[in-house]
Amino acid sequence: MRDNDRPTPTARSTAADGTPQPGDVRPIGVFDSGVGGLTVARALMDLLPDERLTYVGDTAWGPYGPRPLDAVRERARSIVDWLASQDAKLVVAACNTATAAAFSQDPIATTVPVEGVVTPAVRTAVRATRTGEIGVIGTVGTIRSRAYEQAVAAASPEVRVHARACPDFVDFAERGRTTDPGVRAAATEALAPLRDAGVDTLILGCTHYPLLTGVIGHVMGPDVLLVSSAEETARRVFGRLVDEGLDARAPQHVPHRFVVSGDGAVFRGLASRFLGPRLADVGDAAAVMTTGLQLPEPVGGTA
């Protein structure tokens, strides 16, 4: 199922005389269990203003964190297949739980390249750490998968990882609670084991968490570097598109698309917290938004 009004994709190339040819104008697919992946979308919009996104917010089936990883894996497969049917040239799994379940140690087979959010953050953290003690915070599903420990071990076996599930942080981010005393107290308690472990680098292993960098940074202290999986993934996508000749290379006068499996009004309301200055990109003039995306229910889909 393809949009008839989509531009014809043309891979970047160079003519015999060295003249650059038009780039690849197909959209970048991005998906998440809901709104957290909008932090990745926002970073992509900032770094790649010529590109257009097709964003899937799986709000009818999310959050993924508490669900069985096998079920998340099958749901991710369905979403990637759908994005491929929409001519996505590359898909970003803008969800740590989905990345851990479907694109880390045993990646699913896909017909379109997929970039997850685990490896880019790990590469940056391993390069940055001075003491070899790295912390990771994420949802229960992400931490349970041990995807970050496995990725760090592959990148630098001598680095130690201290992982901590912080599920309350998702609720804080979606409710816009980022500075009040209750959030500060909860963050202090949740992050205490990582402070005690002496980590000098902390990976924000959930795409909701960049909204809480103020309180997380305050609790951890100025000597701890925070690594955002959202921002590092956007940088990785930038490099990959350029290196592989998949970048658009010129402004496109077509809107971003936001496709939601659940309630569009709820999604639009929460988007204001995650897109910030980019909120106009889900406005009528800058985006097309549709709701009710139908995807197969995975076997064992309940928690």
Side-chain angles (χ1 to χ4, degrees), residues 125 128-136 158-164 190-203 219-226:
T129 183
R130 305 178 307 277
T131 64
E133 305 287 343
I134 291 177
V136 178
E158 67 275 11
V159 172
R160 292 178 53 184
V161 179
H162 306 268
R164 177 87 170 159
L191 299 173
L194 302 180
R195 291 192 59 182
D196 293 343
V199 304
D200 71 343
T201 306
L202 178 62
I203 297 174
V219 170
M220 295 303 297
D223 294 330
V224 176
L225 175 68
L226 304 185

Side-chain angles (χ1 to χ4, degrees), residues 43-270:
L44 288 169
M45 291 173 189
D46 289 342
L47 289 181
L48 294 159
D50 292 341
E51 302 290 344
R52 284 298 171 263
L53 309 183
T54 297
Y55 181 96
V56 173
D58 193 13
T59 52
W61 204 75
Y64 292 166
R67 290 187 180 273
L69 291 178
D70 284 348
V72 174
R73 181 181 177 88
E74 291 308 310
R75 189 69 170 186
R77 189 194 308 273
S78 296
I79 294 174
V80 172
D81 286 347
W82 186 84
L83 285 166
S85 79
Q86 303 301 298
D87 278 331
K89 59 187 174 186
L90 181 143
V91 172
V92 181
C95 171
N96 282 267
T97 304
T99 299
F103 306 108
S104 291
Q105 295 302 304
D106 182 23
I108 60 175
T110 62
T111 58
V112 62
V114 178
E115 188 68 51
V117 290
V118 171
T119 300
V122 164
R123 288 174 177 167
T124 298
V126 166
R127 287 195 303 266
T129 183
R130 305 178 307 277
T131 64
E133 305 287 343
I134 291 177
V136 178
I137 54 176
T139 66
V140 171
T142 297
I143 300 304
R144 184 178 60 208
S145 74
R146 298 185 60 81
Y148 277 97
E149 287 95 330
Q150 293 163 357
V152 169
S156 184
E158 67 275 11
V159 172
R160 292 178 53 184
V161 179
H162 306 268
R164 177 87 170 159
C166 299
D168 291 343
F169 286 11
V170 171
D171 180 62
F172 294 153
E174 292 195 352
R175 292 168 60 190
R177 294 183 59 197
T178 58
T179 60
D180 65 72
V183 172
R184 295 199 301 270
T188 299
E189 180 179 358
L191 299 173
L194 302 180
R195 291 192 59 182
D196 293 343
V199 304
D200 71 343
T201 306
L202 178 62
I203 297 174
L204 308 183
C206 173
T207 50
H208 281 72
Y209 294 178
L211 275 68
L212 300 173
T213 52
V215 67
I216 294 171
H218 178 75
V219 170
M220 295 303 297
D223 294 330
V224 176
L225 175 68
L226 304 185
V227 176
S228 166
S229 59
E231 293 179 4
E232 297 307 323
T233 300
R235 292 189 183 98
R236 167 62 180 162
V237 170
F238 180 99
R240 186 168 180 177
L241 292 183
V242 171
D243 291 345
E244 298 178 17
L246 296 174
D247 52 319
R249 303 185 70 243
Q252 298 182 58
H253 303 290
V254 293
H256 298 297
R257 297 176 64 203
F258 295 84
V259 183
V260 185
S261 62
D263 190 321
V266 172
F267 177 89
R268 190 184 294 273
L270 288 172

